[in-house]
């Protein structure tokens, strides 16, 4: 039977009350485990954090996502080897960019896909602002030329980058559907037309919260249609510290990110139960 693994971003614990990931990482990871998450995600370039994650998660048999930014295939080859050696469940790749040179973008994707083809762990390419996949329409053109590119869907970036407004147009919904069809991994936060991360339960953002939840649910449905027995879908709660998190004039965040991460975890597990029938 397929399963859902809900992860917590280590970056998402930075500056979070009750956590000290710089000086007491093991304790912070222990809190994540005790709260019932299935693992974490960490930037492999943060070597000390990554070593700590591997030290805590591997003996427990819990999954963790390695995250990297790459400019070329040589960098990806290095990080694949590093992720395997450390015991990562999968590798999440942001591709450097953006660029207006479509042919150059295709050549880069081809080199990265060829490098990842025989990797000993899954390698997925994230939709993200400020990267090769910055623009939704550009990304759709890439996918039209290279169907099957395995994606991590961080859909929070596209409403902001494209200044989408509710209710979404049919072409916008169709565009996100195309992204979801190729998505093997999810990063979660609620964004709006102008903010990349807003309070999960703020009534003024209810429309966007419901839209993101609908996207996650649809992504789960599409993933299950092609999943094999024993496959695992990963969803990482990725509520970032300021400036991702909105702050008041005194610099304090408007919400408790840890509480929100646990609320998001419960939402996505509920969606999974609905679509998977478990």
């Amino acid at each position: 039977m397929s399963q859902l693994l809900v992860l917590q971003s280590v970056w998402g614990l930075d500056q979070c009350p009750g956590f000290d990931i710089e000086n007491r990482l093991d304790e912070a990871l222990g809190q994540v485990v005790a709260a019932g998450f299935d693992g974490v995600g960490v930037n492999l370039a943060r070597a000390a954090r990554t070593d700590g994650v591997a030290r805590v998660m591997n003996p427990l048999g819990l999954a963790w996502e390695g995250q990297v930014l790459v400019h070329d295939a040589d960098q990806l080859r290095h990080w694949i080897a590093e992720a395997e050696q450390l015991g990562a469940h999968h590798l999440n790749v942001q591709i450097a960019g953006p660029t207006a040179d479509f042919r150059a973008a295709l050549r880069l994707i081809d080199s990265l896909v060829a490098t990842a083809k025989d990797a000993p762990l899954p390698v997925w390419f994230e939709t993200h602002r400020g990267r090769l996949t910055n623009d939704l329409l550009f990304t759709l053109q890439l996918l039209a030329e290279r169907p099957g590119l395995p994606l991590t869907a961080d859909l929070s970036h596209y409403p902001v980058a494209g200044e989408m407004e509710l209710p979404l147009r049919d072409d916008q919904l169709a565009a996100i559907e195309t992204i979801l069809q190729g998505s093997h991994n999810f990063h979660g936060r609620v964004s709006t037309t102008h903010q990349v991360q807003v309070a999960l339960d703020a009534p003024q953002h209810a429309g966007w919260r419901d839209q993101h939840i609908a996207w996650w649910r649809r992504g789960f449905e599409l993933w299950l249609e092609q999943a094999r027995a024993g496959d695992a879908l990963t969803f990482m709660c990725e509520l970032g510290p300021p400036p991702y998190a909105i702050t008041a004039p005194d610099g304090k965040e408007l919400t408790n990110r840890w509480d929100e991460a646990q609320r998001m975890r419960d939402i996505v597990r509920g969606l999974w139960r609905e679509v998977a029938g478990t």
Side-chain angles (χ1 to χ4, degrees):
M1 180 179 293
S2 302
Q3 62 176 325
L4 173 72
L5 300 176
V6 185
L7 312 181
Q8 165 61 34
S9 166
V10 173
W11 169 68
L13 301 175
D14 191 16
Q15 304 176 51
C16 198
F19 292 88
D20 183 355
I21 60 173
E22 295 301 328
N23 302 301
R24 304 176 72 175
L25 178 60
D26 286 20
E27 181 180 309
L29 295 174
Q31 290 176 252
V32 173
V33 173
F37 283 88
D38 300 305
V40 297
V42 65
N43 184 344
L44 295 186
R46 303 295 294 265
R49 287 186 188 179
T50 303
D51 288 345
V53 164
R55 182 177 63 249
V56 172
M57 295 293 154
N58 291 351
L60 296 173
L62 296 178
W64 60 274
E65 172 183 285
Q67 303 153 1
V68 296
L69 170 67
V70 303
H71 295 77
D72 55 44
D74 286 340
Q75 287 183 334
L76 179 56
R77 191 172 296 108
H78 164 78
W79 288 123
I80 288 174
E82 187 81 0
E84 180 196 16
Q85 189 271 325
L86 290 168
H89 178 271
H90 62 269
L91 189 63
N92 179 74
V93 180
Q94 294 180 11
I95 308 173
T99 179
D101 189 335
F102 185 69
R103 290 298 157 190
L106 285 178
R107 289 193 297 270
L108 176 56
I109 285 177
D110 287 342
S111 68
L112 296 177
V113 169
T115 300
K117 180 180 179 182
D118 297 318
L121 74 170
V123 178
W124 298 314
F125 300 95
E126 184 178 357
T127 60
H128 202 291
R129 289 173 304 148
R131 305 295 187 237
L132 195 71
T133 52
N134 174 75
D135 179 77
L136 178 56
L137 298 180
F138 188 85
T139 302
L140 292 178
Q141 291 177 329
L142 293 174
L143 293 176
E145 292 289 330
R146 298 296 184 267
L149 180 69
L151 300 175
T152 290
D154 187 337
L155 300 178
S156 66
H157 295 286
Y158 286 139
V160 182
E163 202 166 327
M164 296 179 176
E165 295 184 352
L166 295 176
L168 297 177
R169 303 189 308 266
D170 288 346
D171 63 302
Q172 293 172 322
L173 292 169
I176 298 298
E177 177 82 2
T178 299
I179 299 295
L180 291 173
Q181 287 169 350
S183 296
H184 300 258
N185 182 31
F186 289 82
H187 286 183
R189 70 175 67 87
V190 172
S191 66
T192 71
T193 307
H194 300 293
Q195 290 91 27
V196 74
Q197 180 175 304
V198 295
L200 196 61
D201 287 323
Q204 66 269 34
H205 303 312
W208 274 112
R209 180 198 63 224
D210 293 347
Q211 181 61 72
H212 281 278
I213 288 174
W215 280 334
W216 300 337
R217 190 184 199 283
R218 179 58 177 157
F220 294 177
E221 290 175 340
L222 291 168
W223 183 87
L224 280 165
E225 288 176 4
Q226 51 79 44
R228 299 166 299 182
D231 283 353
L233 175 64
T234 49
F235 183 107
M236 187 169 70
C237 301
E238 197 184 28
L239 302 176
Y244 262 72
I246 299 173
T247 55
D250 61 2
K252 293 181 180 179
E253 296 181 45
L254 302 182
T255 62
N256 184 305
R257 257 183 298 128
W258 175 235
D259 289 347
E260 287 198 302
Q262 294 176 90
R263 166 99 164 96
M264 183 181 293
R265 175 202 62 204
D266 294 343
I267 288 172
V268 298
R269 282 181 174 161
L271 294 175
W272 179 261
R273 287 192 295 269
E274 291 175 11
V275 301
T278 59

